[in-house]
Amino acid sequence: MSDLLLTLAAHPGANKLLKKLGLPAPVALQRSTQAIPDSPLQEATAVIGGVTGSEALDIVRARLQELGARVCEDKQTSEAPPDIALFDATGCRNSEDLDALYRFFHPLMAQFPRHGRALLLAQTPEQADDPVTAACAKAVEGFTRSLGKELGKRGATANLIYLTPGQEDRLAGPLTFFCSPASAYVDGQAIRLSAAVEAPPQTTLAQPQQNKIALVTGASRGIGAATARQLAGEGATVVCLDIPSASRALTSFAAEINGVPMPMDITAPDAPQTLAQFFLEQYGGLDIIVHNAGITRDKTLAKMSEATWRNVLDVNFRAVVAINEALLNAKVLRNMGRIICLSSISGVAGNFGQTNYAASKAALIGYVTALAPQLAHQGITVNAVAPAFIETDMTAQMPLLMREAGRRLNSLSQGGQPEDVAALIAFLAAPDAYGVTGATIRVCGQALIGA
Ligand code: NAD
């Protein structure tokens, strides 16, 4: 469904009028399709800086250069505003150290470029040695979230990576994602790097999923189709599952991406066993599972039938658990596998008329947190993504006013595209995201709801 404000804002005259009327004038985002796979930051300039004593800058500099960016230190003046501003605050030990945030970002703000990226690093507060160091780390989070709100008008984002000293080797994947166009709609997030999972062998950036087998549920349209397409583009063989009544769309879509159609209702009692057997027989295992199939059946609780309640929990939550159990018990999911569940901002914040949906999506957040440590020794990561308003058939059914509110109430003043969610899922599915597990990452343009 087209976004009229986004279309109008692209025309200079109409853009001025929107601003005069006090309406948002969203900036069309620059997405990953424009990137060169092996050097996604080619032609980008990055300015990096840090608090004295921060230890990640050398790794950051080397990685950005490897990705094609031209890197300058903050003391040097770069002739044009940098596309990426990266600040390492892992060395923040006292409140005076926080002033370095101001000194680094203040001169950049007047000319911060459209589609720019601000990325900050801080020490994980729970692992800080003393309360003031922990407080400083949280201060960086508050700073980042506010920065995101100021940069949103330019289609630029601000995110934070928490890490513990000694875990800098886990930065490469997250750094690539957050500095590149792939993270266009991931804004105002603070992710924690975990030491639980060991590093896998290196892969190429262009085809990180070569020789991998992936299952995407609900893949005939929307976020599922975008995810299947993205994983196939990265080299995976993708089994595309959807309900039998969607068979025709599913078959033609799967053919488009050289995938395998699998018409199946995930709530069918024999679905988990059938899937486990299929992957063992056809491929000897499975590497990536994206639990994307989901439904809404909105009603206020007073008016909701028990069947409607159960239906949503069956599809969105119980089927996910049953399928994972079958795949894990039969050792179908291989070591270094990836499990990604589609949660929702509704699961984070709740939503009127969605007690069933919010319960199912919040359940997935608790589930990935608890399952991740159990599978870490196998190199398997388990994460959730929580989209807010994404332009799909599901949200096209919303009443007009609710749809407009969903689109606008975020720092980027627009809805996300299925490709934005797919890019986040692909990042989590990639080998170099091994440092992220048990996490729920929002893809919401920094939505006000649940913030
Ligand atoms: P969509 O309705 O466009 O697609 C969902 C797909 O799942 C459909 O193809 C449907 O046929 C399939 N499906 C439903 N029940 C199934 C079942 N029992 N077995 C197999 N397949 C089944 O939805 P979307 O907007 O692309 O959303 C995808 C996921 O993202 C869902 O889990 C949804 O809850 C979540 N999500 C979406 C948004 C959004 O704004 N679109 C926001 C938050 C979360």
Side-chain angles (χ1 to χ4, degrees), residues 86-400:
L86 192 146
F87 190 80
D88 180 3
T90 52
C92 260
R93 294 279 174 276
N94 59 56
S95 62
E96 271 67 44
D97 288 340
L98 291 172
D99 297 344
L101 288 172
Y102 175 86
R103 288 196 290 266
F104 179 80
F105 281 101
H106 171 73
L108 298 173
M109 291 307 282
Q111 284 192 295
F112 208 92
R114 280 183 160 220
H115 316 297
R117 295 281 181 273
L119 184 63
L120 291 95
L121 311 177
Q123 193 182 140
T124 314
E126 296 78 13
Q127 286 163 5
D129 293 336
D130 64 273
V132 174
T133 307
C136 288
K138 279 302 274 186
V140 180
E141 184 175 327
F143 177 86
T144 306
R145 291 192 197 276
S146 298
L147 194 61
K149 295 192 182 209
E150 293 187 20
L151 294 179
K153 285 195 190 85
R154 302 178 197 198
T157 63
N159 290 288
L160 166 68
I161 300 175
Y162 277 129
L163 77 155
T164 304
Q167 286 175 17
E168 290 80 7
D169 58 323
R170 285 159 195 270
L171 266 174
L175 201 65
T176 311
F177 176 71
F178 281 111
C179 288
S180 74
S183 60
Y185 201 64
V186 180
D187 193 9
Q189 298 304 292
I191 69 156
R192 283 167 161 69
L193 295 193
S194 151
V197 172
E198 268 183 34
Q202 287 234 312
T203 50
T204 71
L205 273 175
Q207 291 276 290
Q209 304 298 5
Q210 194 123 54
N211 304 322
K212 297 281 168 69
I213 309 297
L215 168 65
V216 179
T217 69
S220 73
R221 65 183 202 185
I223 294 168
T227 302
R229 188 185 297 282
Q230 171 92 26
L231 293 175
E234 294 181 0
T237 299
V238 185
V239 174
C240 305
L241 182 156
D242 213 305
I243 43 174
S245 59
S247 269
R248 188 183 278 195
L250 183 68
T251 307
S252 78
F253 171 71
E256 244 178 73
I257 62 161
N258 287 325
V260 179
M262 163 110 21
M264 178 185 283
D265 184 333
I266 54 168
T267 63
D270 60 346
Q273 288 316 322
T274 308
L275 285 173
Q277 207 174 335
F278 171 82
F279 283 103
L280 271 186
E281 283 171 7
Q282 293 296 313
Y283 305 108
L286 174 66
D287 300 290
I288 299 162
I289 173 154
V290 182
H291 291 289
N292 165 78
I295 56 168
T296 50
R297 296 287 182 271
D298 297 358
K299 279 268 185 256
T300 55
L301 189 55
K303 292 186 180 154
M304 188 184 293
S305 69
E306 188 168 344
T308 302
W309 165 268
R310 286 196 64 86
N311 196 1
V312 168
L313 271 106
D314 282 346
V315 176
N316 295 1
F317 176 48
R318 294 184 188 113
V320 172
V321 175
I323 290 171
N324 282 346
E325 282 177 1
L327 295 175
L328 291 166
N329 291 344
K331 303 209 180 314
V332 178
L333 193 68
R334 288 192 261 256
N335 285 356
M336 291 177 279
R338 299 284 185 260
I339 300 175
I340 295 140
C341 299
L342 266 288
S343 178
S344 165
I345 216 76
S346 250
V348 175
N351 201 11
F352 184 86
Q354 290 198 323
T355 48
N356 49 1
Y357 184 74
S360 70
K361 295 297 186 180
L364 294 174
I365 296 175
Y367 178 66
V368 301
T369 312
L371 184 59
Q374 293 183 10
L375 300 179
H377 68 284
Q378 291 170 254
I380 296 173
T381 66
V382 192
N383 291 292
V385 304
F389 184 94
I390 307 296
E391 306 277 0
T392 68
D393 292 331
M394 189 185 258
T395 48
Q397 289 161 14
M398 288 165 81
L400 179 73

Side-chain angles (χ1 to χ4, degrees), residues 73 121 437:
E73 309 294 319
L121 311 177
T437 191

Side-chain angles (χ1 to χ4, degrees), residues 65-88:
Q65 283 169 342
E66 200 183 319
L67 297 173
R70 199 164 61 78
V71 181
C72 8
E73 309 294 319
D74 67 321
K75 299 279 183 310
Q76 287 171 257
T77 40
S78 68
E79 58 291 353
D83 304 292
I84 300 159
L86 192 146
F87 190 80
D88 180 3

Side-chain angles (χ1 to χ4, degrees), residues 27-50:
V27 171
L29 303 181
Q30 198 174 61
R31 294 186 156 90
S32 44
T33 41
Q34 284 127 346
I36 304 156
D38 260 329
S39 345
L41 303 186
Q42 204 156 55
E43 290 171 23
T45 52
V47 60
I48 62 173

